[in-house]
Amino acid sequence: MTSLIIDTDPGVDDAFALALACASPEIDLLAVTTVFGNASLETTTRNALRVLALCGRTDVPVAMGAERPLVYPQVHEAELVHGSDGLSGRAHLLPSGGAAPVEADAVELMARLLRAATEPVTIVPIGPLTNVALLLAAHPGLRGKIERLVVMGGAVSGGNTTARAEFNLWSDPEAAHRVLVEERVPTVLVPIDLTFQCMVERPWLDRLAAAGPLGETLVGLTADYVAHYTAFFGKECTILHDAIAVAEAIRPGLLRTRTYPVEVDCAFGPSRGALVVDRREPEIIATFGSKLARSLEIAVETDVDEVREFLLARLAG
Ligand code: RIB
Ligand code: CA
């Protein structure tokens, strides 16, 4: 059994990620913590509560985290991708859930759960890294209670939000630098270079929708999100970035990784929020060294058919 905390900004692909965790018997979902990103903190929190209600998991505590980045404000632009309510304008179709977030904030709840854990906990950040940066800064003594971070974010070859930056890192570069560069907590980064490989197309979505009420409802949340990627790729498709990161947390090793020296660009220039990866050959780096501050495990490839079938089988129940 893997104890999991998911830190999230639902978000259409976040909704699939939460549903995947709820549908996986290997997972003990300790909590869901919310952060600004695809929508405001209030909206991402409401969406998280509704998705958990959809999955019959109103027992999972939801705690609210950061409503803005650590240092500099970031103009929120994700309505174009996830819709005005973060779920393609369909959030109202989900059960209201009735539940409310717990009193504790995200950092308090994560710290409390880590302190109480008898086994190390896997944390899966699938939005901006603000909450995790705050957790590690405020509770450094709890690093040893974290099994690993499985982080959805970053772009090795080209961004989705700017030419170089991926949305989660772009949303709070300073937090990303804290977590991915300054920390030494075991971490696997799942960048869009990997998640784009796992694109799903209309037939996959139709199979999921036909599989039962959960699949039908999840696919019903994808209209704006599919429209965005259809325009991007010229065919009916979408990319369930966050669900792929959760799939790795459920099945360690599903994604094959390589370790690279990395940095996060926090300068105010055209590549702010970019993940800088030194991909020169290891022998060259060993000889000449790398100026980049941390060696980080990055998911680089997977059996995409296996990932697609795993997601479908779990979400189809
Ligand atoms: O770049 C993809 C990431 O940004 C995903 O987490 C998606 O939900 C958005 O938050
Ligand atoms: Ca997300």
Side-chain angles (χ1 to χ4, degrees), residues 79-121:
E79 288 94 343
L80 301 177
V81 181
H82 295 264
S84 57
D85 63 357
L87 294 174
S88 296
R90 304 291 199 287
H92 62 283
L93 298 179
L94 296 181
S96 65
V102 297
E103 276 299 304
D105 67 51
V107 173
E108 280 175 87
L109 182 60
M110 285 195 278
R112 188 183 307 162
L113 290 167
L114 290 175
R115 219 173 277 122
T118 54
E119 294 294 325
V121 175

mmCIF file of all heavy atoms in Angstrom, residues 79-121:
data_model
loop_
_atom_site.group_PDB
_atom_site.id
_atom_site.type_symbol
_atom_site.label_atom_id
_atom_site.label_comp_id
_atom_site.label_asym_id
_atom_site.label_seq_id
_atom_site.Cartn_x
_atom_site.Cartn_y
_atom_site.Cartn_z
ATOM 1 N N GLU A 79 -7.671 29.707 -18.042
ATOM 2 C CA GLU A 79 -9.057 29.505 -18.486
ATOM 3 C C GLU A 79 -9.106 29.021 -19.935
ATOM 4 O O GLU A 79 -9.993 28.295 -20.331
ATOM 5 C CB GLU A 79 -9.868 30.809 -18.413
ATOM 6 C CG GLU A 79 -10.210 31.263 -17.022
ATOM 7 C CD GLU A 79 -9.175 32.255 -16.523
ATOM 8 O OE1 GLU A 79 -8.068 32.301 -17.124
ATOM 9 O OE2 GLU A 79 -9.443 32.938 -15.539
ATOM 10 N N LEU A 80 -8.122 29.481 -20.741
ATOM 11 C CA LEU A 80 -8.152 29.126 -22.172
ATOM 12 C C LEU A 80 -8.002 27.614 -22.352
ATOM 13 O O LEU A 80 -8.347 27.053 -23.374
ATOM 14 C CB LEU A 80 -7.014 29.851 -22.904
ATOM 15 C CG LEU A 80 -7.043 31.389 -22.803
ATOM 16 C CD1 LEU A 80 -5.824 31.982 -23.500
ATOM 17 C CD2 LEU A 80 -8.338 31.934 -23.389
ATOM 18 N N VAL A 81 -7.460 26.944 -21.358
ATOM 19 C CA VAL A 81 -7.188 25.505 -21.496
ATOM 20 C C VAL A 81 -8.213 24.680 -20.715
ATOM 21 O O VAL A 81 -8.750 23.691 -21.211
ATOM 22 C CB VAL A 81 -5.764 25.180 -20.995
ATOM 23 C CG1 VAL A 81 -5.465 23.691 -21.152
ATOM 24 C CG2 VAL A 81 -4.736 26.021 -21.739
ATOM 25 N N HIS A 82 -8.503 25.123 -19.497
ATOM 26 C CA HIS A 82 -9.377 24.323 -18.618
ATOM 27 C C HIS A 82 -10.780 24.913 -18.464
ATOM 28 O O HIS A 82 -11.584 24.376 -17.703
ATOM 29 C CB HIS A 82 -8.729 24.186 -17.238
ATOM 30 C CG HIS A 82 -7.446 23.400 -17.274
ATOM 31 N ND1 HIS A 82 -7.380 22.056 -16.993
ATOM 32 C CD2 HIS A 82 -6.183 23.762 -17.580
ATOM 33 C CE1 HIS A 82 -6.140 21.629 -17.128
ATOM 34 N NE2 HIS A 82 -5.383 22.645 -17.482
ATOM 35 N N GLY A 83 -11.050 26.010 -19.127
ATOM 36 C CA GLY A 83 -12.386 26.595 -19.032
ATOM 37 C C GLY A 83 -12.515 27.541 -17.846
ATOM 38 O O GLY A 83 -11.687 27.546 -16.948
ATOM 39 N N SER A 84 -13.601 28.278 -17.844
ATOM 40 C CA SER A 84 -13.765 29.364 -16.852
ATOM 41 C C SER A 84 -13.841 28.822 -15.423
ATOM 42 O O SER A 84 -13.415 29.463 -14.475
ATOM 43 C CB SER A 84 -15.058 30.131 -17.153
ATOM 44 O OG SER A 84 -16.149 29.200 -17.141
ATOM 45 N N ASP A 85 -14.352 27.613 -15.253
ATOM 46 C CA ASP A 85 -14.506 27.038 -13.898
ATOM 47 C C ASP A 85 -13.441 25.966 -13.636
ATOM 48 O O ASP A 85 -13.518 25.221 -12.662
ATOM 49 C CB ASP A 85 -15.908 26.430 -13.738
ATOM 50 C CG ASP A 85 -16.138 25.267 -14.696
ATOM 51 O OD1 ASP A 85 -15.240 24.960 -15.522
ATOM 52 O OD2 ASP A 85 -17.226 24.652 -14.631
ATOM 53 N N GLY A 86 -12.461 25.870 -14.513
ATOM 54 C CA GLY A 86 -11.389 24.894 -14.316
ATOM 55 C C GLY A 86 -11.723 23.508 -14.829
ATOM 56 O O GLY A 86 -10.853 22.633 -14.906
ATOM 57 N N LEU A 87 -13.017 23.299 -15.197
ATOM 58 C CA LEU A 87 -13.441 21.961 -15.662
ATOM 59 C C LEU A 87 -14.316 22.090 -16.911
ATOM 60 O O LEU A 87 -15.432 21.556 -16.999
ATOM 61 C CB LEU A 87 -14.197 21.235 -14.536
ATOM 62 C CG LEU A 87 -13.378 20.874 -13.297
ATOM 63 C CD1 LEU A 87 -14.282 20.292 -12.206
ATOM 64 C CD2 LEU A 87 -12.271 19.879 -13.633
ATOM 65 N N SER A 88 -13.819 22.867 -17.865
ATOM 66 C CA SER A 88 -14.495 23.051 -19.160
ATOM 67 C C SER A 88 -15.909 23.611 -19.019
ATOM 68 O O SER A 88 -16.784 23.321 -19.845
ATOM 69 C CB SER A 88 -14.553 21.723 -19.934
ATOM 70 O OG SER A 88 -13.279 21.258 -20.270
ATOM 71 N N GLY A 89 -16.134 24.355 -17.941
ATOM 72 C CA GLY A 89 -17.467 24.942 -17.744
ATOM 73 C C GLY A 89 -18.494 23.911 -17.295
ATOM 74 O O GLY A 89 -19.684 24.167 -17.269
ATOM 75 N N ARG A 90 -18.040 22.722 -16.950
ATOM 76 C CA ARG A 90 -18.959 21.620 -16.590
ATOM 77 C C ARG A 90 -18.911 21.281 -15.102
ATOM 78 O O ARG A 90 -19.486 20.280 -14.681
ATOM 79 C CB ARG A 90 -18.584 20.344 -17.374
ATOM 80 C CG ARG A 90 -18.558 20.480 -18.868
ATOM 81 C CD ARG A 90 -19.933 20.686 -19.484
ATOM 82 N NE ARG A 90 -19.963 20.377 -20.902
ATOM 83 C CZ ARG A 90 -19.414 21.148 -21.845
ATOM 84 N NH1 ARG A 90 -18.748 22.221 -21.495
ATOM 85 N NH2 ARG A 90 -19.502 20.818 -23.120
ATOM 86 N N ALA A 91 -18.219 22.093 -14.288
ATOM 87 C CA ALA A 91 -18.072 21.737 -12.863
ATOM 88 C C ALA A 91 -19.430 21.548 -12.208
ATOM 89 O O ALA A 91 -19.602 20.688 -11.342
ATOM 90 C CB ALA A 91 -17.275 22.817 -12.135
ATOM 91 N N HIS A 92 -20.428 22.322 -12.676
ATOM 92 C CA HIS A 92 -21.762 22.256 -12.049
ATOM 93 C C HIS A 92 -22.424 20.897 -12.262
ATOM 94 O O HIS A 92 -23.393 20.545 -11.588
ATOM 95 C CB HIS A 92 -22.648 23.366 -12.604
ATOM 96 C CG HIS A 92 -22.894 23.250 -14.087
ATOM 97 N ND1 HIS A 92 -21.951 23.608 -15.038
ATOM 98 C CD2 HIS A 92 -23.971 22.785 -14.787
ATOM 99 C CE1 HIS A 92 -22.433 23.378 -16.255
ATOM 100 N NE2 HIS A 92 -23.654 22.888 -16.133
ATOM 101 N N LEU A 93 -21.906 20.125 -13.223
ATOM 102 C CA LEU A 93 -22.507 18.800 -13.476
ATOM 103 C C LEU A 93 -22.044 17.770 -12.440
ATOM 104 O O LEU A 93 -22.610 16.682 -12.344
ATOM 105 C CB LEU A 93 -22.117 18.309 -14.882
ATOM 106 C CG LEU A 93 -22.610 19.183 -16.048
ATOM 107 C CD1 LEU A 93 -22.139 18.591 -17.381
ATOM 108 C CD2 LEU A 93 -24.135 19.321 -16.020
ATOM 109 N N LEU A 94 -21.007 18.137 -11.673
ATOM 110 C CA LEU A 94 -20.501 17.184 -10.666
ATOM 111 C C LEU A 94 -21.338 17.309 -9.399
ATOM 112 O O LEU A 94 -21.895 18.371 -9.114
ATOM 113 C CB LEU A 94 -19.034 17.491 -10.356
ATOM 114 C CG LEU A 94 -18.038 17.321 -11.501
ATOM 115 C CD1 LEU A 94 -16.634 17.639 -11.014
ATOM 116 C CD2 LEU A 94 -18.115 15.921 -12.087
ATOM 117 N N PRO A 95 -21.370 16.247 -8.596
ATOM 118 C CA PRO A 95 -22.082 16.353 -7.318
ATOM 119 C C PRO A 95 -21.454 17.459 -6.479
ATOM 120 O O PRO A 95 -20.220 17.625 -6.483
ATOM 121 C CB PRO A 95 -21.886 14.969 -6.681
ATOM 122 C CG PRO A 95 -20.783 14.305 -7.430
ATOM 123 C CD PRO A 95 -20.750 14.921 -8.789
ATOM 124 N N SER A 96 -22.299 18.242 -5.800
ATOM 125 C CA SER A 96 -21.740 19.379 -5.039
ATOM 126 C C SER A 96 -20.808 18.862 -3.939
ATOM 127 O O SER A 96 -19.903 19.542 -3.485
ATOM 128 C CB SER A 96 -22.893 20.165 -4.408
ATOM 129 O OG SER A 96 -23.522 19.329 -3.458
ATOM 130 N N GLY A 97 -21.048 17.607 -3.528
ATOM 131 C CA GLY A 97 -20.113 17.032 -2.545
ATOM 132 C C GLY A 97 -20.492 17.391 -1.125
ATOM 133 O O GLY A 97 -20.410 16.602 -0.221
ATOM 134 N N GLY A 98 -20.948 18.656 -0.980
ATOM 135 C CA GLY A 98 -21.394 19.030 0.368
ATOM 136 C C GLY A 98 -20.236 19.222 1.320
ATOM 137 O O GLY A 98 -20.264 20.060 2.201
ATOM 138 N N ALA A 99 -19.148 18.468 1.106
ATOM 139 C CA ALA A 99 -18.042 18.591 2.060
ATOM 140 C C ALA A 99 -17.376 19.958 1.883
ATOM 141 O O ALA A 99 -17.519 20.620 0.862
ATOM 142 C CB ALA A 99 -17.027 17.480 1.795
ATOM 143 N N ALA A 100 -16.658 20.348 2.908
ATOM 144 C CA ALA A 100 -15.908 21.606 2.867
ATOM 145 C C ALA A 100 -14.444 21.275 3.141
ATOM 146 O O ALA A 100 -14.141 20.194 3.672
ATOM 147 C CB ALA A 100 -16.431 22.558 3.936
ATOM 148 N N PRO A 101 -13.537 22.178 2.804
ATOM 149 C CA PRO A 101 -12.144 21.910 3.149
ATOM 150 C C PRO A 101 -11.993 21.874 4.675
ATOM 151 O O PRO A 101 -12.802 22.456 5.402
ATOM 152 C CB PRO A 101 -11.383 23.081 2.544
ATOM 153 C CG PRO A 101 -12.388 24.133 2.269
ATOM 154 C CD PRO A 101 -13.708 23.455 2.096
ATOM 155 N N VAL A 102 -10.966 21.179 5.148
ATOM 156 C CA VAL A 102 -10.739 21.122 6.599
ATOM 157 C C VAL A 102 -10.219 22.466 7.090
ATOM 158 O O VAL A 102 -9.806 23.319 6.293
ATOM 159 C CB VAL A 102 -9.741 19.995 6.949
ATOM 160 C CG1 VAL A 102 -10.297 18.632 6.559
ATOM 161 C CG2 VAL A 102 -8.384 20.227 6.290
ATOM 162 N N GLU A 103 -10.234 22.685 8.374
ATOM 163 C CA GLU A 103 -9.752 23.935 8.968
ATOM 164 C C GLU A 103 -8.262 24.148 8.678
ATOM 165 O O GLU A 103 -7.835 25.243 8.326
ATOM 166 C CB GLU A 103 -9.933 23.886 10.502
ATOM 167 C CG GLU A 103 -11.317 24.290 10.986
ATOM 168 C CD GLU A 103 -11.668 25.733 10.609
ATOM 169 O OE1 GLU A 103 -10.900 26.641 10.964
ATOM 170 O OE2 GLU A 103 -12.679 25.926 9.898
ATOM 171 N N ALA A 104 -7.504 23.076 8.802
ATOM 172 C CA ALA A 104 -6.039 23.195 8.633
ATOM 173 C C ALA A 104 -5.740 23.645 7.206
ATOM 174 O O ALA A 104 -6.456 23.289 6.262
ATOM 175 C CB ALA A 104 -5.375 21.853 8.914
ATOM 176 N N ASP A 105 -4.653 24.384 7.021
ATOM 177 C CA ASP A 105 -4.248 24.717 5.657
ATOM 178 C C ASP A 105 -3.409 23.570 5.095
ATOM 179 O O ASP A 105 -3.066 22.623 5.805
ATOM 180 C CB ASP A 105 -3.499 26.055 5.622
ATOM 181 C CG ASP A 105 -2.153 25.986 6.342
ATOM 182 O OD1 ASP A 105 -1.358 25.061 6.052
ATOM 183 O OD2 ASP A 105 -1.900 26.838 7.213
ATOM 184 N N ALA A 106 -3.057 23.658 3.835
ATOM 185 C CA ALA A 106 -2.380 22.544 3.155
ATOM 186 C C ALA A 106 -1.074 22.161 3.834
ATOM 187 O O ALA A 106 -0.780 20.966 4.024
ATOM 188 C CB ALA A 106 -2.122 22.937 1.705
ATOM 189 N N VAL A 107 -0.292 23.158 4.233
ATOM 190 C CA VAL A 107 1.010 22.857 4.844
ATOM 191 C C VAL A 107 0.814 22.186 6.197
ATOM 192 O O VAL A 107 1.457 21.177 6.516
ATOM 193 C CB VAL A 107 1.861 24.141 4.964
ATOM 194 C CG1 VAL A 107 3.146 23.882 5.745
ATOM 195 C CG2 VAL A 107 2.192 24.685 3.573
ATOM 196 N N GLU A 108 -0.126 22.731 6.975
ATOM 197 C CA GLU A 108 -0.405 22.124 8.292
ATOM 198 C C GLU A 108 -0.832 20.662 8.136
ATOM 199 O O GLU A 108 -0.364 19.776 8.833
ATOM 200 C CB GLU A 108 -1.568 22.871 8.964
ATOM 201 C CG GLU A 108 -1.266 24.165 9.648
ATOM 202 C CD GLU A 108 -2.580 24.792 10.134
ATOM 203 O OE1 GLU A 108 -3.007 24.465 11.259
ATOM 204 O OE2 GLU A 108 -3.167 25.578 9.364
ATOM 205 N N LEU A 109 -1.759 20.419 7.196
ATOM 206 C CA LEU A 109 -2.279 19.052 7.043
ATOM 207 C C LEU A 109 -1.191 18.111 6.542
ATOM 208 O O LEU A 109 -1.030 17.003 7.057
ATOM 209 C CB LEU A 109 -3.473 19.036 6.091
ATOM 210 C CG LEU A 109 -4.121 17.660 5.908
ATOM 211 C CD1 LEU A 109 -4.635 17.090 7.237
ATOM 212 C CD2 LEU A 109 -5.253 17.714 4.891
ATOM 213 N N MET A 110 -0.408 18.555 5.567
ATOM 214 C CA MET A 110 0.679 17.694 5.077
ATOM 215 C C MET A 110 1.662 17.396 6.206
ATOM 216 O O MET A 110 2.067 16.247 6.410
ATOM 217 C CB MET A 110 1.404 18.356 3.897
ATOM 218 C CG MET A 110 0.634 18.319 2.596
ATOM 219 S SD MET A 110 1.642 18.715 1.137
ATOM 220 C CE MET A 110 1.633 20.501 1.188
ATOM 221 N N ALA A 111 2.014 18.417 6.985
ATOM 222 C CA ALA A 111 2.968 18.216 8.093
ATOM 223 C C ALA A 111 2.403 17.248 9.126
ATOM 224 O O ALA A 111 3.085 16.334 9.596
ATOM 225 C CB ALA A 111 3.298 19.561 8.735
ATOM 226 N N ARG A 112 1.120 17.435 9.433
ATOM 227 C CA ARG A 112 0.483 16.566 10.447
ATOM 228 C C ARG A 112 0.485 15.109 9.967
ATOM 229 O O ARG A 112 0.822 14.190 10.704
ATOM 230 C CB ARG A 112 -0.952 17.045 10.673
ATOM 231 C CG ARG A 112 -1.680 16.379 11.821
ATOM 232 C CD ARG A 112 -3.106 16.870 11.930
ATOM 233 N NE ARG A 112 -3.191 18.335 11.997
ATOM 234 C CZ ARG A 112 -4.341 19.013 11.751
ATOM 235 N NH1 ARG A 112 -5.434 18.359 11.388
ATOM 236 N NH2 ARG A 112 -4.385 20.322 11.865
ATOM 237 N N LEU A 113 0.178 14.907 8.700
ATOM 238 C CA LEU A 113 0.113 13.536 8.162
ATOM 239 C C LEU A 113 1.505 12.915 8.083
ATOM 240 O O LEU A 113 1.695 11.735 8.390
ATOM 241 C CB LEU A 113 -0.560 13.561 6.794
ATOM 242 C CG LEU A 113 -2.053 13.881 6.817
ATOM 243 C CD1 LEU A 113 -2.555 14.204 5.407
ATOM 244 C CD2 LEU A 113 -2.848 12.726 7.424
ATOM 245 N N LEU A 114 2.482 13.716 7.698
ATOM 246 C CA LEU A 114 3.856 13.191 7.634
ATOM 247 C C LEU A 114 4.342 12.820 9.037
ATOM 248 O O LEU A 114 4.934 11.769 9.251
ATOM 249 C CB LEU A 114 4.792 14.223 7.008
ATOM 250 C CG LEU A 114 4.616 14.497 5.522
ATOM 251 C CD1 LEU A 114 5.534 15.632 5.081
ATOM 252 C CD2 LEU A 114 4.892 13.248 4.680
ATOM 253 N N ARG A 115 4.046 13.675 10.000
ATOM 254 C CA ARG A 115 4.484 13.424 11.385
ATOM 255 C C ARG A 115 3.871 12.125 11.911
ATOM 256 O O ARG A 115 4.526 11.329 12.559
ATOM 257 C CB ARG A 115 4.047 14.619 12.267
ATOM 258 C CG ARG A 115 5.059 15.023 13.319
ATOM 259 C CD ARG A 115 4.636 16.303 14.026
ATOM 260 N NE ARG A 115 4.996 17.506 13.273
ATOM 261 C CZ ARG A 115 4.127 18.424 12.866
ATOM 262 N NH1 ARG A 115 2.835 18.282 13.104
ATOM 263 N NH2 ARG A 115 4.541 19.480 12.195
ATOM 264 N N ALA A 116 2.615 11.894 11.549
ATOM 265 C CA ALA A 116 1.889 10.729 12.087
ATOM 266 C C ALA A 116 2.183 9.456 11.303
ATOM 267 O O ALA A 116 1.914 8.351 11.761
ATOM 268 C CB ALA A 116 0.389 11.008 12.049
ATOM 269 N N ALA A 117 2.761 9.595 10.111
ATOM 270 C CA ALA A 117 2.932 8.422 9.239
ATOM 271 C C ALA A 117 3.918 7.431 9.837
ATOM 272 O O ALA A 117 4.993 7.808 10.332
ATOM 273 C CB ALA A 117 3.413 8.874 7.863
ATOM 274 N N THR A 118 3.559 6.152 9.777
ATOM 275 C CA THR A 118 4.485 5.106 10.242
ATOM 276 C C THR A 118 5.401 4.674 9.104
ATOM 277 O O THR A 118 6.449 4.097 9.325
ATOM 278 C CB THR A 118 3.672 3.881 10.737
ATOM 279 O OG1 THR A 118 2.773 3.492 9.683
ATOM 280 C CG2 THR A 118 2.872 4.251 11.980
ATOM 281 N N GLU A 119 4.975 4.955 7.873
ATOM 282 C CA GLU A 119 5.814 4.692 6.696
ATOM 283 C C GLU A 119 5.943 5.989 5.891
ATOM 284 O O GLU A 119 5.002 6.801 5.895
ATOM 285 C CB GLU A 119 5.145 3.634 5.792
ATOM 286 C CG GLU A 119 5.041 2.241 6.417
ATOM 287 C CD GLU A 119 6.420 1.608 6.627
ATOM 288 O OE1 GLU A 119 7.318 1.856 5.774
ATOM 289 O OE2 GLU A 119 6.608 0.955 7.666
ATOM 290 N N PRO A 120 7.057 6.186 5.192
ATOM 291 C CA PRO A 120 7.184 7.410 4.387
ATOM 292 C C PRO A 120 6.061 7.545 3.371
ATOM 293 O O PRO A 120 5.512 6.551 2.884
ATOM 294 C CB PRO A 120 8.541 7.225 3.699
ATOM 295 C CG PRO A 120 9.306 6.306 4.588
ATOM 296 C CD PRO A 120 8.286 5.366 5.172
ATOM 297 N N VAL A 121 5.710 8.799 3.088
ATOM 298 C CA VAL A 121 4.556 9.138 2.255
ATOM 299 C C VAL A 121 5.034 9.673 0.903
ATOM 300 O O VAL A 121 5.991 10.454 0.839
ATOM 301 C CB VAL A 121 3.695 10.211 2.958
ATOM 302 C CG1 VAL A 121 2.555 10.679 2.061
ATOM 303 C CG2 VAL A 121 3.154 9.677 4.291
#
